[in-house]
Amino acid sequence: MALPSSLRLTLAAAFAALGLLLNLLPKLAFDRAGTTVNPLHPTSSRALVTTGLHGISRNPMYLGHALLLFAWACWLQHPLALIGVPPYIAYVTRFQIVAEERALAETFGATYQAYRARVRRWL
C-alpha cells in the first residue's frame, strides 16, 4: 500500500530524527563520564554509563543506527528496503555487542552484571 508522500516524509523524518538523537545523546553522556565512545576499543572504557538512554537500552546508539535504516526504508517505501534492518541487528549483536559486553564484564564486574540484568540489550 502506497503512503501519501507527506506521510512518508513525516515518518522517515521522525525515525531519522529519533535515530540521530539515539546516536548523539549517548555520545554526550559518554563524554561527560570521561569514557570512550569508540566501539573498537571497549577495554579502554573508564566509566559505565547506566543512566539516561542507557537506563532503557544498553545499546541506544546501535538502536539509533537501526532506526536510521528503518527511516530510509520508510522513505523508499519499498518492502525490500526493510530487509536490511534485521541483518544489521544480527550482525552488530554477534560481532560487536557480544565483544563489548565481554569487555565491560571484565572491566566492571558485578556492577556491569547488575546493569545487564536490569536493562535490556536493545529495548
Side-chain angles (χ1 to χ4, degrees):
M1 172 173 76
L3 296 174
S5 61
S6 61
L7 179 57
R8 183 183 76 194
L9 177 60
T10 300
L11 286 173
F15 284 116
L18 184 56
L20 290 172
L21 277 175
L22 289 176
N23 276 277
L24 176 64
L25 295 178
K27 288 176 180 158
L28 295 172
F30 278 40
D31 187 55
R32 281 191 303 273
T35 194
T36 184
V37 174
N38 188 340
L40 301 177
H41 301 287
T43 55
S44 61
S45 294
R46 300 289 171 246
L48 187 62
V49 177
T50 62
T51 58
L53 291 173
H54 283 89
I56 300 166
S57 169
R58 294 196 316 261
N59 297 287
M61 287 181 264
Y62 297 129
L63 180 58
H65 298 160
L67 286 173
L68 288 170
L69 288 172
F70 190 77
W72 183 242
C74 287
W75 175 253
L76 294 176
Q77 195 173 332
H78 195 286
L80 289 178
L82 291 171
I83 288 176
V85 179
Y88 167 77
I89 291 170
Y91 180 88
V92 80
T93 298
R94 169 68 177 90
F95 294 105
Q96 187 62 47
I97 293 173
V98 170
E100 288 178 11
E101 289 177 341
R102 191 173 19 250
L104 292 170
E106 289 174 15
T107 303
F108 299 106
T111 304
Y112 178 72
Q113 294 305 336
Y115 169 64
R116 188 174 173 182
R118 183 175 82 251
V119 178
R120 300 178 90 145
R121 180 180 277 163
W122 286 94
L123 273 179

